[in-house]
């Protein structure tokens, strides 16, 4: 069946289909362009038995995002609104659509793809791997109102005039994270978010920004305040922001706090009354689209030097769909990473994880050894913050010569991935 780009004439059929799949009310009644910064693709209903003219059998949108990766930046295809019409489910349309999404991400030069699944297992069959989980805590304000004042800091309201300072600070404070969205236009509006959103900047006497706090006041039962982010340069700054949050204790007893993975705010929270927020835990899945591009996007630790062979196997999509599978020589030196494709087998058949290494200094070909990953291990590891041992604990295919494993673990070290989709 033929996959094609969707146009303004497809907007209403597509929105009708996704509203039926995910809920919501379809309010648009006429053609309109899809939002900028994304590629919408789909399959006409007439391509399938029982199809009807003017309907879509399936469709999806690919966001053109950029994410932080090991101190660098990588292009990422964010998959959204992937749906199959009820009349065409169960016949393999979903698989063809997702395979086309992966191929289109490759054609658009994206290093990786990301999605937020409601059913992880169906995406896992196509190489996607869970890399992060959303975290939300309910925090009693009584724990925060007792925090002492922090000297040398004061708060500034975030307005349309000061919002660019918040954006700049967000990019600075998340630059060394893994998988955080850069939140650039046109996918992210650069003006005030609206819908009750508010924020405060934390600055010193010289006017230098040190952190920010953003929230939305929520009516009805429950904590009443959704805190979107607390970011600060130091623990000192995070304590100042938490103390400001404690001022809500005159009207509220609790707040809900959204966190990054292993968020530094956790170390600054006083008391032991915080508890996980109720409700499902959102998952983030990612998939390698281009192994070499993911590695080249990263910065290497300045002290790390050496070369390994990296082999990635991908049996989830047909050969040529993307650039995830292959063999490369990966070299780190002077803070940069070089990735060169390696064609054919070595004269000795190629090093294999576990091969004997009598001299203990590599595999005899100028490398530290070989790492073998399946697509799920590659998707987990190349986004950073995990080790080959972590991949093996999850039952993923990850084997390596000892020196090569130590090298790759050091190369991909860093905080575990976090994805937060809005300010």
């Amino acid at each position: 069946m033929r996959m094609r780009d969707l146009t303004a004439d497809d907007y209403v059929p597509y929105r009708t289909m996704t509203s039926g799949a995910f809920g919501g009310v379809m309010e648009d009644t006429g053609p309109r362009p899809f939002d900028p910064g994304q590629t919408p693709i789909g399959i006409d209903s007439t391509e399938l038995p029982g199809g009807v003219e003017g309907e879509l059998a399936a469709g999806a949108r690919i966001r053109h995002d950029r994410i932080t990766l090991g101190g660098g930046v990588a292009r990422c295809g964010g998959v959204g609104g992937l749906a199959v019409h009820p009349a065409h489910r169960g016949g393999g349309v979903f698989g063809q659509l997702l395979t086309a999404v992966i191929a289109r991400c490759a054609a658009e030069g994206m290093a990786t793809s990301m999605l937020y699944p409601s059913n992880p297992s169906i995406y896992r069959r196509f190489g996607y791997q869970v890399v992060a989980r959303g975290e939300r805590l309910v925090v009693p304000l009584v724990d925060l109102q007792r925090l002492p004042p922090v000297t040398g800091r004061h708060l500034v309201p975030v307005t349309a005039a000061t919002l660019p300072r918040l954006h700049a600070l967000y990019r600075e404070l998340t630059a060394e994270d893994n998988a955080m969205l850069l939140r650039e236009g046109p996918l992210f509006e650069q003006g005030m978010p609206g819908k009750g959103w508010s924020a405060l900047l934390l600055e010193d006497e010289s006017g230098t920004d040190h952190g920010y706090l953003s929230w939305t006041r929520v009516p009805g039962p429950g904590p009443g305040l959704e805190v979107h982010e607390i970011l600060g340069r130091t623990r000192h700054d995070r304590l100042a922001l938490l103390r400001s949050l404690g001022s809500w204790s005159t009207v509220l007893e609790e707040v809900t706090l959204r966190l990054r993975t292993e968020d530094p705010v956790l170390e600054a929270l006083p008391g032991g009354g915080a508890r996980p927020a109720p409700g499902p835990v959102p998952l983030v899945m990612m998939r390698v689209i281009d192994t070499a591009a993911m590695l080249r996007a990263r910065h290497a630790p300045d002290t790390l030097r050496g070369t390994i062979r990296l082999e990635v196997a991908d049996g989830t999509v047909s050969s040529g769909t993307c650039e995830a599978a292959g063999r490369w020589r990966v070299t780190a030196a002077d803070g940069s990473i070089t990735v060169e494709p390696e064609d054919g087998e070595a004269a000795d058949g190629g090093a294999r994880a576990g091969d004997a290494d009598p001299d203990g200094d590599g595999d005899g070909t100028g490398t530290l050894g070989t790492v073998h990953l399946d697509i799920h291990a590659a998707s987990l590891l190349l986004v950073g913050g995990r080790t080959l041992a972590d991949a093996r604990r999850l039952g993923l295919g990850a084997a390596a010569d000892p020196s090569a494993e130590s090298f790759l673990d050091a190369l991909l070290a860093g905080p575990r991935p976090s994805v937060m989709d809005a300010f």
Side-chain angles (χ1 to χ4, degrees):
M1 64 191 72
R2 186 175 68 93
M3 195 78 53
R4 66 175 179 85
D5 287 7
L6 302 184
T7 68
D9 290 335
D10 300 304
Y11 184 82
V12 170
Y14 173 77
R15 288 287 293 118
T16 301
M17 180 176 62
T18 55
S19 295
F22 306 117
V25 178
M26 174 60 195
E27 297 177 349
D28 297 283
T29 58
R32 55 157 285 187
F34 285 81
D35 292 340
Q38 56 186 303
T39 299
I41 64 173
I43 303 168
D44 288 316
S45 176
T46 52
E47 294 280 326
L48 296 163
V52 175
E53 187 73 33
E55 294 291 328
L56 291 173
R61 291 174 290 108
I62 304 170
R63 293 167 51 98
H64 293 240
D65 275 311
R66 295 200 302 159
I67 62 171
T68 58
L69 199 65
V73 174
R75 297 186 64 197
C76 177
V79 184
L82 192 153
V84 178
H85 195 287
H88 301 297
R89 293 173 186 166
V93 176
F94 173 86
Q96 293 195 43
L97 177 62
L98 190 52
T99 299
V101 165
I102 294 168
R104 188 56 177 267
C105 287
E108 299 276 359
M110 295 168 179
T112 185
S113 175
M114 177 190 297
L115 52 82
Y116 309 87
S118 55
N119 182 356
S121 63
I122 61 175
Y123 295 99
R124 195 177 189 282
R125 294 201 299 267
F126 295 87
Y128 286 86
Q129 176 66 31
V130 174
V131 300
R133 292 165 172 80
E135 296 189 45
R136 294 167 69 245
L137 283 183
V138 176
V139 179
L141 290 176
V142 68
D143 288 346
L144 306 183
Q145 65 183 348
R146 302 191 186 111
L147 288 170
V150 175
T151 60
R153 298 288 185 268
H154 57 265
L155 298 164
V156 178
V158 172
T159 65
T162 58
L163 185 63
R165 291 166 54 185
L166 185 150
H167 286 191
L169 191 60
Y170 166 81
R171 290 190 292 271
E172 178 186 347
L173 297 183
T174 60
E176 298 300 322
D177 285 7
N178 285 311
M180 289 288 279
L181 299 166
L182 266 62
R183 299 178 181 171
E184 302 167 312
L187 288 168
F188 290 88
E189 294 184 5
Q190 299 303 292
M192 292 290 286
K195 297 182 179 180
W197 182 92
S198 298
L200 295 171
L201 282 162
L202 183 74
E203 67 176 19
D204 63 20
E205 287 88 345
S206 69
T208 300
D209 294 322
H210 286 263
Y212 73 84
L213 161 70
S214 64
W215 72 88
T216 299
R217 185 72 163 91
V218 182
L225 198 73
E226 293 281 345
V227 180
H228 307 304
E229 289 173 336
I230 297 179
L231 269 67
R233 295 183 188 277
T234 65
R235 184 176 184 273
H236 182 79
D237 299 321
R238 292 185 284 273
L239 285 169
L241 292 166
L242 287 170
R243 183 176 188 274
S244 167
L245 190 58
S247 69
W248 285 91
S249 62
T250 57
V251 292
L252 296 172
E253 294 183 357
E254 299 174 321
V255 298
T256 301
L257 174 57
R258 186 176 68 156
L259 300 167
R260 292 177 287 170
T261 306
E262 300 173 346
D263 200 310
V265 170
L266 289 169
E267 193 274 334
L269 278 176
R275 64 184 188 276
V281 176
L283 302 176
V284 179
M285 300 186 84
M286 294 183 69
R287 188 199 201 282
V288 175
I289 300 295
D290 186 330
T291 295
M294 284 198 78
L295 288 165
R296 290 177 182 134
R298 306 181 65 88
H299 298 164
D302 291 337
T303 58
L304 185 66
R305 301 184 67 86
T307 299
I308 62 167
R309 282 198 185 102
L310 175 64
E311 299 184 1
V312 176
D314 183 3
T316 64
V317 295
S318 58
S319 176
T321 301
C322 64
E323 302 296 326
R327 300 179 61 190
W328 299 268
R329 290 174 64 89
V330 181
T331 300
D334 302 321
S336 64
I337 300 172
T338 303
V339 186
E340 299 174 341
E342 187 174 78
D343 297 323
E345 293 288 331
D348 62 357
R352 291 292 180 265
D355 285 353
D357 181 18
D359 57 10
D361 61 358
D363 63 6
T365 61
T367 76
L368 296 170
T370 303
V371 176
H372 304 271
L373 305 176
D374 67 13
I375 186 59
H376 294 100
S379 296
L380 177 77
L381 297 176
L382 294 187
V383 72
R386 305 296 288 268
T387 66
L388 271 76
D390 292 330
R392 288 193 289 270
R393 285 190 208 101
L394 295 173
L396 310 181
D401 297 303
S403 295
E405 178 165 345
S406 298
F407 174 92
L408 192 62
D409 284 349
L411 186 68
L412 302 177
R416 291 197 175 190
S418 297
V419 180
M420 301 174 81
D421 58 358
F423 284 104

